[in-house]
């Protein structure tokens, strides 16, 4: 189904709302506000891509001149560069284009127009692997689709262990909105009835293979769970959405950076924005990079935004009754800090001084790979014909505190055959025996890696580096961010328990990786404008509205009070839906 | 003297060309490797992943040509140097072991040369060991992303439209 035709942008008129950014957050805001009849202008910094032409989800590697790889004038930053060099990482590199590490994955040539060129988009400060996508839909075009709910173990974590702040909401506040997101966008999964990882309203689940069933059964004996990957993918189809097909398990899905060209996997353009355009209430302008939230000089309230056309370099203003930021956690913080005025000398919405602070995410790295011996030499099976493998939810610090750190972590894992035998390079030797070994062992490996909660800390923050500007002359972000002691202890425990679980299941250990990946690797940046009831220690209220400026909302991961250890996107969208419902209600009552 | 070198060079090129003809190596595609180097790399790749009862090997899959094309357009000077030097090292090791250059030796002797280079695969130390690691990485990458590697050797079953997922349905 082709994209709907766009309405003309009218910068003379005052829109009911201007939404900044078109990823999970901005797309959801556009959907909810237009569904309430509000006239919305959506501004997106990146291009609108012809995504079906771009992605080629089913192209065979050998059909591509570089087997899916980037052209030689391009460079993807490596783990080493993020570790040993300092940002801006692209500075001084001879390559024409420099991308973040995700473009080092196979299939990166398909997503090179989705992610940003680090040369145009520098940042400074401490080491941080910041992955950004600038195009209609943002990172949702290439996200990994693990779609999880949070629970009161997360929202009320501070009450449980005494660290940090509780969220100003509890699970019952957000549960109906998780339901709405499930039904509107589709999610595949298997119900497990876990209080710490609530079930969604699932469509048809993906299935586990032999190795995964074996591990699942063994974990059950330890009181732990292995569940099929909960995927933000519609497996049964969505009658209300003509732009998205159901999933056909086509098997190249683990090539994340290749995306899903039939849009069974959720992406913001087909899932949210095109349907919103069909209401007639949405006006879209791409290539529009917002650099300031404008305020009324008498009231200090938001009156619109200033933006630069990223193609022509021309500056414009857009007027709106409400400004909704969904530029992604760090970009929204940057925008607020840049929006200084007489009323808001430290940046808009920043009377608390907390904008940019309490920045948190997930820590990754520790992982295990094992061999299921009885699968060696078995006939070939199809194991990657599904969005992804499995998830092992958190088991630490649930019933009572049993470890030398607080909070927890979960594992994402996978097993069986893939299009490319990843073990071929690490299988020693050469010749006929080597070749046969690679063939025989192809379906017999299983591996999983952890994602753990990084505690929010005031000292972990971003601010503006006025001395460095991006390609459009906008001052960039500077990082002041490090993992702490809790994360390091947690990482050691991740490696230990990963091994323990495989050993208990009778899986032969091939390797355990104990090292953590650089800061930022999880691509789950959160915090920076946290919600709370106290305007001195938080930036937003429970409806993601600025305490200082009631007609300014920040609907992306900025508002999260802690990172939990579950992937954030489904929560970003549920919270955004709740806030936009509330906003529409207030607008109707004339309260904003 | 100089004509002597020329003659030797000519001989090597002739040998390489004859060899290439015998194994059906496409000569015109090479852009980074010299004809002699190309034949060495092609032979090394086939030694690493040979044809067997199950499927054709790296030669039939065109691994050397793929590696050549990537190196030809590469902007990584270090990597290019590693390959140039690497092929020389192969001949040096061969001369040391057998008193002949790599292509002049018998198949078993060639395998012995590769064996020597591969001896510290986990933690390569000498330049020839480092080269083997890169050679194997590149060969594996070229072979298992090729038509032969994916379909004939690995019998990959995916990248098709499935109506139902494969695997166990949980109760
Ligand atoms: C490879 C990968 C795998 C991932 N896997 C998962 C997963 O399995 N599960 C999960 O939950 N999450 C995952 N994520 C994270 C997920 O993509 C993000 O959580 C989600 O996209 C966040 O939505 P957002 O709207 O806040 O930001 P984005 O999706 O980044 O969208 C922000 C948009 O705002 C635009 N923008 C930025 N600045 C401006 C400006 N100044 N003016 C105008 N527009 C602007 C950007 O161009 C972009 O389009 C993954 C991400 C990646 C890259
Ligand atoms: S397996 Fe499903 S979600 Fe993944 S690319 Fe294929 S159709 Fe899309």
């Amino acid at each position: 189904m082709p994209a709907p035709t766009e309405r003309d942008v009218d910068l003379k008129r005052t829109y009911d709302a201007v939404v900044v950014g078109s990823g999970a957050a901005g797309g959801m805001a556009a959907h909810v506000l237009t569904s309430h009849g509000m006239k919305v202008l959506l501004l997106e910094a990146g291009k609108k891509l012809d995504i079906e032409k771009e992605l080629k989800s089913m192209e065979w590697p050998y059909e591509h001149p570089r087997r899916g790889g980037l052209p030689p004038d391009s460079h993807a930053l490596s783990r080493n560069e993020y570790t040993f060099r300092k940002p801006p990482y692209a500075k001084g590199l001879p390559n024409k284009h420099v991308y973040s590490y995700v473009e080092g994955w196979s299939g990166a040539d398909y997503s090179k127009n989705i992610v940003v060129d680090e040369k145009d988009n520098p940042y400074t400060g401490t080491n941080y692997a910041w992955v950004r996508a600038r195009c209609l839909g943002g990172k949702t075009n290439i996200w990994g689709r693990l779609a999880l709910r949070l629970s009161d173990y997360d929202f009320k974590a501070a009450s449980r262990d005494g660290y940090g702040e509780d969220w100003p909401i509890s699970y019952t506040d957000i549960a109906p909105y998780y339901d709405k997101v499930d039904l509107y966008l589709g999610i595949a999964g298997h119900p497990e009835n876990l209080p710490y990882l609530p079930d969604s309203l699932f469509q048809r689940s993906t299935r586990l293979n032999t190795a995964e069933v074996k591990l699942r059964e063994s974990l059950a004996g330890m009181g732990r769970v292995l569940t099929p990957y909960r995927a933000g993918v519609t497996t049964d189809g969505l009658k209300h959405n003509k732009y998205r097909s159901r999933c056909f398990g086509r098997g190249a899905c683990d090539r994340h950076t290749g995306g899903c060209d039939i849009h069974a996997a959720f992406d913001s353009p087909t899932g949210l924005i095109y349907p919103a355009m069909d209401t007639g209430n949405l006006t879209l302008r791409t290539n529009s990079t917002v650099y300031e939230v404008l305020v009324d000089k008498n009231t200090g309230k938001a009156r619109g935004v200033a933006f630069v056309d990223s193609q022509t370099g021309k500056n414009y203003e857009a007027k709106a009754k409400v400004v909704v930021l969904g530029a992604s956690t760090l970009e929204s913080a940057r925008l607020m800090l840049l929006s200084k005025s007489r009323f808001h000398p430290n940046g808009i919405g920043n009377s608390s001084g907390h904008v940019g602070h309490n920045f948190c995410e997930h820590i990754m790295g520790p992982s295990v790979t094992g061999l299921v011996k009885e699968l060696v030499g078995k006939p070939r099976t199809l194991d990657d014909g599904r969005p992804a493998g499995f998830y092992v939810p958190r088991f630490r610090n649930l019933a009572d505190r049993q470890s030398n750190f607080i909070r927890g972590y979960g594992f994402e894992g996978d097993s069986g055959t893939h299009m490319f035998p990843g073990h071929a390079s690490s299988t020693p030797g050469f010749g006929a025996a080597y070749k046969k070994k690679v063939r025989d062992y192809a379906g017999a490996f299983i591996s999983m890696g952890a994602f753990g909660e990084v505690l929010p800390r005031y000292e972990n923050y971003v601010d503006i580096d006025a001395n460095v500007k991006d390609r459009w002359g906008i001052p960039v972000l500077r990082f002041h961010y490090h993992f702490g002691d809790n994360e390091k202890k947690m990482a050691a425990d991740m490696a230990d328990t990963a091994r323990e679980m495989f050993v208990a299941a009778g899986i032969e250990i091939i390797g355990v990786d104990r090292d953590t990946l650089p800061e930022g690797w999880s691509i789950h940046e959160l915090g920076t404008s946290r919600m709370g009831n106290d305007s001195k220690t938080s930036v937003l209220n429970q409806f993601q509205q600025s305490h200082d400026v009631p007609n300014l909302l920040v609907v992306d991961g900025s508002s999260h009070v802690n990172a939990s250890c579950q992937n954030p996107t489904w929560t970003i969208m549920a919270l955004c839906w709740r806030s936009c419902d509330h906003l529409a209600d207030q607008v109707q009552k004339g309260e904003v | 003297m100089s004509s002597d070198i020329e003659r030797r060079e000519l001989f090597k090129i002739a040998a390489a060309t004859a060899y290439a003809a015998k194994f059906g190596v496409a000569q015109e595609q090479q852009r980074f490797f010299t004809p002699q180097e190309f034949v060495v790399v092609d032979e090394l790749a086939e030694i690493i992943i040979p044809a067997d009862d199950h499927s054709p090997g790296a030669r039939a899959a065109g691994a050397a040509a793929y590696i050549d094309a990537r190196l030809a357009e590469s902007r990584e000077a270090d990597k290019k140097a590693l390959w140039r030097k690497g092929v020389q090292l192969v001949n040096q090791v061969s001369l040391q072991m057998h008193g002949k250059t790599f292509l002049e030796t018998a198949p078993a002797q060639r395998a012995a040369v590769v064996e020597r280079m591969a001896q510290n695969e986990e933690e390569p130390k000498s330049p020839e060991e480092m080269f083997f690691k890169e050679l194997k990485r590149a060969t594996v990458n070229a072979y298992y992303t090729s038509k032969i590697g994916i379909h004939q050797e690995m019998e990959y079953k995916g990248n098709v439209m499935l109506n139902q997922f494969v695997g166990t349905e949980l109760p």
Side-chain angles (χ1 to χ4, degrees), chain A residues 317-539:
Chain A
E317 285 187 8
K319 295 191 276 290
K321 293 178 195 155
V322 182
V323 173
V324 179
L325 302 184
S328 77
T329 297
L330 294 176
E331 290 288 8
S332 289
R334 178 182 177 199
L335 197 43
M336 291 168 79
L337 293 169
L338 283 171
S339 303
K340 290 186 182 173
S341 59
R342 188 166 60 88
F343 281 96
H344 312 290
N346 300 321
I348 195 163
N350 194 22
S351 67
S352 65
H354 273 60
V355 172
H357 292 264
N358 305 302
F359 167 29
C360 53
E361 56 156 348
H362 296 149
I363 182 167
M364 291 174 69
S367 65
V368 60
T369 302
L371 178 73
V372 181
K373 279 225 185 83
E374 54 278 25
L375 293 175
V376 175
K378 285 275 149 58
R380 203 50 83 233
T381 50
L382 199 178
D383 295 308
D384 62 351
R386 55 182 182 178
F390 62 86
Y391 185 68
V392 176
R394 168 182 174 184
F395 46 82
R396 281 302 194 218
N397 300 317
L398 289 172
D400 40 38
R401 186 161 170 191
Q402 75 266 64
S403 42
N404 62 346
F405 58 88
I406 57 169
R407 311 293 162 91
Y409 53 85
F411 289 92
E412 287 183 35
D414 199 5
S415 84
T417 50
H418 294 90
M419 192 189 289
F420 184 82
H423 61 294
S425 279
S426 55
T427 301
F430 64 91
Y434 161 79
K435 185 184 178 194
K436 182 170 186 320
K437 190 165 183 194
V438 170
R439 188 162 72 226
D440 285 349
Y441 280 63
F445 293 99
I446 178 165
S447 63
M448 61 184 190
F451 285 71
E453 170 166 357
V454 176
L455 295 177
R457 280 186 283 272
Y458 184 81
E459 316 80 77
N460 271 344
Y461 70 103
V462 286
D463 63 5
I464 299 290
D465 187 338
N467 297 319
V468 179
K469 299 197 166 110
D470 68 14
R471 185 177 149 190
W472 299 273
I474 308 170
V476 307
L477 274 186
R478 178 167 53 200
F479 287 74
H480 309 263
Y481 182 88
H482 297 283
F483 293 143
D485 190 48
N486 196 62
E487 287 81 52
K488 284 172 191 149
K489 288 184 177 141
M490 182 188 279
D493 192 60
M494 291 167 168
D496 292 342
T497 61
R499 167 187 280 274
E500 155 194 295
M501 290 187 277
F502 273 26
V503 169
I507 296 167
E508 185 185 315
I509 302 289
I510 299 293
V512 176
D513 196 340
R514 305 191 65 88
D515 296 338
T516 57
L517 286 157
E519 280 86 348
W521 208 268
S522 69
I523 327 182
H524 294 160
E525 316 88 53
L526 298 161
T528 72
S529 289
R530 71 178 179 193
M531 301 189 291
N533 295 323
D534 182 351
S535 62
K536 292 205 176 53
T537 59
S538 64
V539 178

Side-chain angles (χ1 to χ4, degrees), chain A residues 247-319:
Chain A
C247 173
F248 284 96
R250 299 169 301 161
C253 191
D254 62 350
R255 196 178 72 186
H256 288 164
T257 43
C260 177
D261 62 358
I262 59 172
H263 313 291
F266 160 72
D267 57 60
S268 174
T270 59
L272 297 165
I273 295 169
Y274 295 172
M277 287 167 83
D278 288 334
T279 65
N281 294 330
L282 182 66
T283 308
L284 170 66
R285 193 180 196 286
T286 47
N287 300 321
S288 307
T289 306
V290 176
Y291 58 87
E292 190 178 348
V293 179
L294 301 169
V295 296
D296 184 283
K297 59 178 182 299
N298 299 315
T299 63
K301 281 177 66 174
R303 66 173 173 86
V305 296
F307 64 94
V308 53
D309 186 304
S310 59
Q311 301 293 303
T312 65
K314 281 198 186 132
N315 293 306
Y316 299 90
E317 285 187 8
K319 295 191 276 290

Side-chain angles (χ1 to χ4, degrees), chain A residues 58 62 65-67 72 190 204 207-208 246 248-251 380 382 384-385 427-429 431 434-435 439, chain B residues 48 50 52 55 66 70 73 121 136 140 142 145 151 153-156 159-160 162-165 168-169:
Chain A
M58 290 190 79
Y62 50 79
R66 295 179 191 87
R67 314 266 160 105
H190 180 74
R204 179 176 54 116
R207 292 180 175 181
L208 300 178
R246 79 171 174 89
F248 284 96
R250 299 169 301 161
R380 203 50 83 233
L382 199 178
D384 62 351
T427 301
Y434 161 79
K435 185 184 178 194
R439 188 162 72 226
Chain B
I48 292 174
D52 61 6
S55 74
Y66 181 72
R70 296 290 69 72
E73 64 176 13
E121 209 188 326
K136 180 163 162 186
V140 159
T145 55
H151 303 294
E153 171 59 14
M154 298 309 286
E155 298 170 90
Y156 178 65
N159 211 26
V160 292
L162 292 176
N163 273 317
Q164 179 52 279
F165 297 115
T168 307
E169 195 171 1

Side-chain angles (χ1 to χ4, degrees), chain A residues 72-332:
Chain A
D73 58 1
S74 301
H75 173 66
L77 293 166
S78 68
R79 180 175 176 173
N80 262 344
E81 288 174 281
Y82 285 116
T83 309
F84 298 112
R85 294 183 46 214
K86 287 269 174 265
Y89 296 110
K91 197 174 171 186
L93 293 184
N95 316 77
K96 188 156 173 226
H97 303 288
V98 177
Y99 302 106
S100 70
Y101 75 90
V102 299
E103 296 301 283
W105 298 348
S106 61
D109 198 44
Y110 304 111
S111 54
K112 65 175 187 285
N113 295 321
I114 294 174
V115 298
V116 302
D117 189 334
E118 302 285 326
K119 290 220 146 174
D120 297 337
N121 297 275
Y123 51 95
T124 64
T126 55
N127 294 51
Y128 196 86
W130 189 15
V131 176
R132 291 156 288 172
R134 273 202 176 184
C135 65
L136 189 68
K139 295 194 291 283
T140 66
N141 289 295
I142 53 168
W143 73 307
R145 304 136 191 179
L146 182 58
L148 302 173
R149 291 187 176 199
L150 269 53
S151 76
D152 282 335
Y153 285 80
D154 306 302
F155 298 127
K156 304 298 171 201
S159 295
R160 294 174 55 82
D161 59 27
Y163 181 86
E165 305 282 334
D166 282 341
W167 296 50
I169 58 162
S170 54
Y171 183 66
T172 49
D173 295 315
I174 191 177
Y177 290 94
Y178 276 131
D179 288 355
K180 283 176 193 272
V181 175
D182 292 345
L183 294 175
Y184 193 64
L185 300 178
I187 175 170
H190 180 74
E192 303 284 0
N193 207 14
L194 307 170
Y196 48 93
L197 184 73
D199 293 327
S200 276
L201 302 175
F202 293 126
Q203 296 189 355
R204 179 176 54 116
S205 179
T206 60
R207 292 180 175 181
L208 300 178
N209 60 29
T210 311
E212 294 159 356
V213 170
K214 180 184 164 94
L215 183 58
R216 175 179 163 93
E217 283 168 1
S218 168
L219 288 185
M222 304 169 83
R224 296 179 190 172
V225 179
L226 179 155
T227 193
Y229 201 82
R230 294 187 172 176
V233 169
T234 170
T235 47
D236 293 330
L238 296 165
K239 289 207 176 65
H240 56 266
N241 188 316
K242 63 184 178 194
Y243 302 103
R244 298 181 61 196
S245 159
R246 79 171 174 89
C247 173
F248 284 96
R250 299 169 301 161
C253 191
D254 62 350
R255 196 178 72 186
H256 288 164
T257 43
C260 177
D261 62 358
I262 59 172
H263 313 291
F266 160 72
D267 57 60
S268 174
T270 59
L272 297 165
I273 295 169
Y274 295 172
M277 287 167 83
D278 288 334
T279 65
N281 294 330
L282 182 66
T283 308
L284 170 66
R285 193 180 196 286
T286 47
N287 300 321
S288 307
T289 306
V290 176
Y291 58 87
E292 190 178 348
V293 179
L294 301 169
V295 296
D296 184 283
K297 59 178 182 299
N298 299 315
T299 63
K301 281 177 66 174
R303 66 173 173 86
V305 296
F307 64 94
V308 53
D309 186 304
S310 59
Q311 301 293 303
T312 65
K314 281 198 186 132
N315 293 306
Y316 299 90
E317 285 187 8
K319 295 191 276 290
K321 293 178 195 155
V322 182
V323 173
V324 179
L325 302 184
S328 77
T329 297
L330 294 176
E331 290 288 8
S332 289

